[in-house]
Amino acid sequence: SASAGSLCAANEIPVGTLADLQAGGHTSGEQATVSLLGKGPTKLMVASEAITIGEEVFAAAGGKVQDLPGSSGTYYSVGWALTTAAADGDIIEVQDRVPVKVVIP
């Protein structure tokens, strides 16, 4: 399980996103506001790969999101992409949801 203030891994239950998401991220020890998943407006998230509008997105390593993982494991669906990501590091808008556990055998 992640420690307080750490980024979520692909197999950990995500809690929310940084409300003030910015390019380059935050520095260690800096205070940040977290927007809970499944509450309030759409959320901005950082893609770990190219993602198409309408795709379901899942938690990925380093606090990012990915489309449906191709390898076996436990993942958490966090919503659907409302904008396109061309590559790793792109910020996309997501219609978020309360995280749903998905196990790929």
Side-chain angles (χ1 to χ4, degrees):
S1 152
S3 62
S6 66
L7 294 175
C8 188
N11 63 345
E12 294 177 323
I13 302 171
V15 174
T17 63
L18 293 176
D20 56 346
L21 184 62
Q22 58 193 17
H26 290 271
T27 58
S28 179
E30 182 181 358
Q31 289 190 347
T33 301
V34 175
S35 295
L36 298 176
L37 292 170
K39 297 259 186 201
T42 60
K43 308 290 187 299
L44 294 179
M45 299 182 186
V46 180
S48 67
E49 61 186 356
I51 296 175
T52 305
I53 292 173
E55 281 190 290
E56 188 172 7
V57 293
F58 298 80
K64 297 179 181 182
V65 292
Q66 61 187 333
D67 60 10
L68 182 63
S71 58
S72 63
T74 300
Y75 301 93
Y76 289 89
S77 170
V78 295
W80 296 268
L82 297 177
T83 56
T84 297
D88 180 23
D90 285 357
I91 295 175
I92 61 171
E93 184 176 8
V94 174
Q95 177 59 62
D96 61 299
R97 66 187 295 172
V98 172
V100 173
K101 183 177 182 178
V102 175
V103 178
I104 298 176

